[in-house]
């Protein structure tokens, strides 16, 4: 075995190249792939993933990593690379191949069952498949290893370093602060009307406007691109090849506007990795929550702010002179921040959104702990919806069957959305402290100072530190709901003319 | 080692999946990839090709292939798969890794030198890089092995089974028949004017027309797609994911029209492989010449025929009413078949085209045999141009430096273009015998009978037989210039009003 850092680096690069190509094949699947290529693409992806897995668990990689871990003279970045890859490899090695295969099969069955259950609006049809998924994910959590909290082992796959013991108190406090806030907004004397319904926004003009937004945010369209897909996402193959998608709906321009801003937040992160980290494990965010903090910072904290629209609203009116006739910036700003308890998470505003997440997090803990009979899941869901948001879904499609995540086997994923929200508010506060005229510059359409600040303090750091450590380094404190709640109170008190 | 056909099949499928993904990454590079991703993509492709090579030369694959070759009970198709993959693997195994690497380096240097030489219009700047390429390709030919004719070993990489001893007499006879034909056309009393110069053809209307052509030819746009690229090509990942590109030039609609028809000829071949052959070595054409026969049959024999335009010319006039004002079907048909000796192969008409190829083939033989001092190459080129076509290139860019192939190290590739032309004429004759009303149906715009006939007799056969054997099976004879020359004589005697 070749015990040198260059030989290790070559293995890291190969793994990253494979991930890049998997990214391309996945992006293509959602954008340009012809319909009949479905099965062929599934084979191609499974072959690539199989080769990636084989390279990752290769005992020779394990040996050279073990050797490298004992070489302090390698320097800080190489040691961080070794740490990150060792962690990824250890987790992969611990799951027996039979379990990997069983999970893949269970997931593909669960997807079919979930679709059928949605069609017939009956959770019961999904229940046996979900039972199997849960059984295997528990087994997988035990294979990964944990200190008695199985959910930790799953959470680790999305939010390395985060633990239930750390997360639950924060999310519970958040929940308990949000429930009365939602109620207070509902009771507020001022109402925000649904301003944009019934108007038509031409697709091509929407597309051009999203490109302007990308440019203003500093997304490099020579090192990335934007396309259309049914579900917007950020993918790509490399920091110099970052691919966003957006969704254009002629009845509602907010889809495209906020999808583009959201995905560009992810995209700037990917483009912002440091060049010496390219093709290494450090060219990655340390967690999904931190990645999400970037999309939500841009989409919500910046993109739904009055300052932002003070600049962009005139251009938007110019793009849609008829559709936006009579809509002033205040009315538009209010319309894009309308708070309404609703059944569907992906349509939720930023006040109610985290209650959808806490609900799922609590349900996931019960399910992974096997503390909730599966036949009781819809009732438990609906009961919480009523308690947290004051609404009860009319059926399972608008309730427990709405998200695809559980059918994919993704337990531990949902909380990263809330982590993204909490981190985004803390980061924006830190940016305000560092750039005292930040809001004024946004009001002038100058978004690049914020992009630069994020690039320096977050993006270019890559995976050097775990998410919460990086947040602590940048903001002076770790995970907290204080900044987020303060942000919500300030913004929505003003919008709804009530003290929250 | 698992000596079963299913385990061998799994290896075949993995190799084919990797090729598919290489196809995707290559297609993307020429269509949608952002400019700054160039270097990243080169790494990704090189990683994929490295893994493909590693899997192909894996000794365990060699063992299971050797075992399978001794199992007559496997059946005909599996045995053909074993034969094809064994042949590919044997060639890969014979080339030492050091030579593979040296060739890759020499090619990338030669590309740089070729570009510089073109810029300065001086072959001398390309000469040292070409010398190195030739040296390594001769070494590679010897590594592959041959019966004293090195060129055979290289030709085998593009046209398996073809030999210099078989090819030279045919191409020489073709040359000797074409030279007087070109002269006779030049001397013919009737002249064909350059009809379309100075007109403008709107890009979007060209695009829509190319899609109509694809539909008429039976190219399945749910199992493939068309995009735009600078150099049109056919790629994709699988018979259900075939990707054509075309090039649109508003000054000249013939680019898009004939690029689309040409690439769709290739594309129909790829879509026509038989489903049980998917993801095996049989889902491939047996040679580049046979692949090219499909594109040229459609582009030239069908797409430049009077019958074809009797149907499509009215629709074309409808798409471009102003630009085509006053152009009748006869004039249009003549314009797309104008014969003019010219310097550039890719712009040549179908009468002069093969003289460009024979010239290159003769030069390649001299170069691989080391029988021509490199400093004499431009003069030898120009002397042949004068002898075969009656023109002398004004400089090396319009002469010996025009094609990228030698810089890529592709010796043995050029003759497959002529094989494509010869096979296309023989195949069309066979189709006419089988479908007596073929021309009438084309005149009515019914192209699908020809597509079906080609699918049955050529496409669905995949790589079961070597190209010339398949041609013999379908047409009753092997490689011949008789059908092609007869086709040219008939068509161009009529067009130029002279007996050729």
């Amino acid at each position: 075995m070749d015990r040198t850092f260059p030989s290790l680096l070559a293995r890291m690069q190969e793994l990253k190249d494979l991930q890049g190509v998997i990214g391309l094949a996945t992006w293509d699947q959602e954008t340009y792939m012809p319909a009949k290529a479905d099965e062929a693409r599934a084979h191609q992806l499974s072959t690539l993933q199989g080769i990636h897995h084989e390279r990752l668990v290769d005992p020779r990689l394990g040996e050279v990593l073990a050797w490298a871990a004992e070489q302090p003279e390698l320097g800080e970045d190489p040691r961080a690379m070794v740490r990150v890859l060792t962690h990824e490899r250890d987790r992969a090695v611990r799951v027996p191949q039979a379990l990997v295969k069983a999970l893949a099969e269970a997931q593909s069955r669960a997807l079919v069952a979930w679709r059928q259950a949605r069609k017939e609006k009956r959770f019961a049809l999904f229940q046996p498949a979900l039972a199997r998924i849960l059984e295997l994910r528990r087994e997988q959590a035990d294979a990964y290893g944990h200190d008695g909290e199985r959910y930790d082992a799953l959470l680790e796959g999305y939010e390395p370093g985060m633990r239930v013991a750390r997360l639950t108190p924060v999310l519970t406090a958040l929940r308990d602060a949000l429930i009365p806030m939602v109620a207070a907004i509902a009771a507020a004397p001022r109402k925000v009307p649904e301003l944009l319904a019934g108007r038509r926004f031409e697709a091509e003009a929407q597309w051009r406007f999203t490109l302007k937004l990308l440019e203003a945010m500093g997304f490099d369209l020579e090192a990335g691109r934007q396309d259309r897909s049914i579900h917007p996402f950020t993918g790509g193959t490399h920091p110099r090849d970052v691919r966003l998608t957006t969704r254009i709906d002629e009845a509602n321009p907010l889809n495209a506007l906020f999808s583009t801003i959201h995905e560009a937040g992810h995209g700037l992160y990917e483009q912002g990795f440091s060049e010496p980290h390219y093709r290494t494990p450090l060219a990655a965010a340390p967690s999904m929550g931190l990645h999400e903090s970037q999309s939500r910072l841009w989409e919500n904290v910046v993109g739904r702010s009055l300052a932002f629209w003070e600049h962009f609203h005139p251009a938007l009116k110019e793009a849609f002179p008829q559709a936006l006739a009579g809509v002033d910036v205040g009315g538009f700003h209010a319309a894009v921040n309308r708070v309404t308890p609703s059944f569907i998470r992906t349509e939720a505003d930023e006040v109610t959104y985290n209650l959808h997440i806490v609900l799922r997090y609590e349900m996931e803990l019960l399910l992974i702990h096997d503390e909730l009979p599966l036949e009781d899941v819809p009732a438990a869901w609906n009961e919480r919806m009523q308690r947290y948001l004051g609404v009860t879904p009319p059926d399972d499609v608008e309730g427990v069957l709405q998200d695809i995540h559980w059918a994919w086997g993704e337990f531990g994923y949902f909380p990263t959305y809330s982590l993204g929200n909490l981190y985004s508010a803390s980061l924006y506060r830190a940016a305000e402290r560092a750039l005292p005229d930040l809001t004024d510059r946004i009001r002038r359409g100058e978004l690049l100072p914020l992009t630069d600040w994020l690039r320096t303090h977050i993006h270019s750091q890559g995976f050097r530190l775990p998410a919460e450590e990086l947040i602590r380094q940048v903001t002076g404190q770790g995970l907290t709901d204080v900044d987020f709640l303060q942000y919500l109170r300030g913004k929505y008190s003003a919008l709804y003319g009530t003290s929250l």
Side-chain angles (χ1 to χ4, degrees), chain A:
Chain A
M1 196 204 43
D2 193 6
R3 282 190 168 144
T4 63
F5 188 72
S7 85
L8 174 56
L9 189 62
R11 287 177 182 270
M12 290 174 171
Q13 291 170 333
E14 189 185 55
L15 287 166
K16 207 74 181 180
D17 287 344
L18 283 166
Q19 284 175 335
V21 178
I22 290 169
L24 178 66
T26 310
W27 167 84
D28 181 73
Q29 196 170 31
E30 304 299 325
T31 51
Y32 295 116
M33 190 186 82
K36 290 181 185 168
D38 239 359
E39 197 186 319
R41 181 56 46 87
H43 286 306
Q44 289 156 358
L45 276 168
S46 144
T47 288
L48 287 173
Q49 278 148 352
I51 292 172
H52 183 272
H53 181 82
E54 172 203 294
R55 305 303 233 217
L56 182 62
V57 302
D58 185 340
R60 288 166 302 180
L61 175 59
E63 284 167 40
V64 68
L65 280 170
W67 163 83
E70 304 297 321
Q71 315 300 317
E73 76 285 3
L74 282 180
E76 224 172 294
D77 272 3
R79 286 169 60 79
M81 293 173 194
V82 170
R83 211 161 48 232
V84 170
L85 186 55
T86 301
H87 180 262
E88 185 189 351
R89 184 175 179 281
D90 284 352
R91 278 177 64 87
V93 166
R94 284 181 189 165
V95 185
Q97 267 310 100
L99 179 52
V100 171
K101 221 180 134 189
L103 263 165
E105 274 166 29
Q107 283 158 19
S108 89
R109 288 216 182 108
L111 274 171
V112 174
W114 177 73
R115 292 208 173 91
Q116 190 58 35
R118 280 173 61 87
K119 207 181 253 171
E120 302 192 21
K121 302 191 179 182
R122 283 173 56 207
F123 173 78
L125 295 178
F126 179 49
Q127 190 182 314
L130 180 61
R132 176 72 179 148
I133 290 266
L134 282 165
E135 179 192 348
L136 293 169
R137 286 289 269 163
R138 286 186 208 114
E139 194 181 326
Q140 191 186 27
D142 293 345
Y144 286 140
H146 52 78
D147 301 334
E149 175 51 83
R150 273 175 169 159
Y151 194 85
D152 278 347
L154 302 180
L155 186 58
E156 182 73 11
Y158 311 101
E159 198 66 25
M162 187 47 66
R163 295 290 175 266
V164 168
R166 170 108 188 88
L167 189 55
T168 299
V170 177
L171 292 188
T172 304
L174 179 65
R175 177 195 72 190
D176 293 343
L178 289 176
I179 293 174
M181 199 185 293
V182 171
I185 289 174
R190 193 181 295 164
K191 304 291 172 202
V192 170
E194 238 192 292
L195 205 58
L196 304 176
R199 303 167 188 245
R200 193 182 153 278
F201 299 81
E202 199 250 319
E204 193 48 44
Q206 289 194 44
W207 178 257
R208 283 193 303 268
F209 199 85
T210 62
L211 294 180
K212 268 188 209 164
L213 292 173
L214 292 180
E215 200 197 332
M217 290 171 67
F219 182 79
D220 183 352
L221 280 162
E222 291 188 0
R225 46 182 295 119
Q226 182 180 258
D227 296 273
R228 293 170 69 165
S229 71
I230 295 170
H231 303 287
F233 67 97
T234 298
T237 80
H238 184 276
R240 295 246 166 112
D241 185 14
V242 177
R243 307 198 178 193
L244 319 177
T245 68
T246 194
R247 183 164 74 99
I248 293 181
D249 173 357
E250 294 210 322
N252 182 0
L254 305 187
N255 272 329
L257 293 178
F258 291 106
S259 292
T260 288
I261 301 173
H262 181 100
E263 300 307 333
H266 284 303
L268 287 173
Y269 202 157
E270 295 285 320
Q271 288 190 337
F273 296 132
S274 150
E275 199 167 329
H277 296 171
Y278 289 179
R279 302 176 74 222
T280 80
L282 292 191
S287 82
M288 295 192 57
L290 201 64
H291 221 307
E292 197 70 14
S293 78
Q294 301 304 293
S295 54
R296 285 166 190 255
L297 186 154
W298 282 105
E299 179 192 347
N300 294 335
V301 186
V302 176
R304 295 184 198 269
S305 72
L306 187 57
F308 183 87
W309 287 108
E310 277 172 352
H311 177 79
F312 284 103
H313 183 260
L316 194 68
K317 282 198 77 151
E318 216 171 283
F320 305 103
Q322 288 190 297
L324 287 182
V327 177
D328 67 9
V329 63
F332 186 79
H333 175 245
V336 304
N337 285 291
R338 199 164 165 266
V339 177
T340 342
S342 65
F343 307 125
I344 304 295
R345 173 184 62 86
T346 57
E347 296 166 5
D349 57 83
E350 51 178 342
V351 180
T352 57
Y353 187 89
N354 292 290
L355 290 170
H356 289 270
I357 297 302
V358 175
L359 176 156
R360 284 157 179 75
Y361 174 63
E362 292 171 347
M363 301 278 297
E364 288 194 349
L365 283 172
L366 291 170
L367 290 168
I368 292 298
H369 296 165
D370 206 0
E371 290 168 353
L372 178 67
L374 286 193
E375 56 271 28
D376 296 344
V377 165
W381 181 286
N382 293 348
E383 183 270 326
R384 274 188 173 72
M385 281 297 288
Q386 186 59 48
R387 192 142 46 92
Y388 298 168
L389 287 162
V391 297
T392 297
D395 57 44
D396 292 345
V397 173
E398 307 229 32
V400 66
L401 290 174
Q402 70 184 265
D403 293 305
I404 200 170
H405 299 56
W406 292 351
W408 272 336
E410 304 276 24
F411 287 84
Y413 188 131
F414 281 123
T416 70
Y417 293 130
S418 283
L419 289 169
N421 285 324
L422 300 183
Y423 286 152
S424 76
S426 297
L427 282 171
Y428 193 79
R429 277 197 66 115
E432 278 183 319
R433 284 193 299 269
L435 310 166
D437 60 346
L438 178 59
T439 308
D440 284 335
R441 300 194 70 170
I442 291 174
R443 187 171 288 117
R444 297 200 297 270
E446 295 169 22
L447 307 178
L448 299 184
L450 179 58
T451 303
D452 285 343
W453 186 86
L454 290 167
R455 180 153 295 172
T456 304
H457 296 281
I458 301 289
H459 308 170
S460 66
Q461 301 306 308
F463 205 155
R464 280 176 171 151
L465 294 176
E468 197 181 359
E469 265 187 60
L470 180 58
I471 284 288
R472 183 171 287 117
Q473 181 179 292
V474 177
T475 70
Q477 57 182 357
L479 177 66
T480 172
D481 60 358
V482 171
D483 298 320
F484 181 67
L485 286 170
Q486 186 179 326
Y487 156 72
L488 287 188
R489 285 199 182 97
K491 178 169 170 179
Y492 289 92
S493 292
L495 265 164
Y496 279 89
T498 186
S499 175
L500 295 169

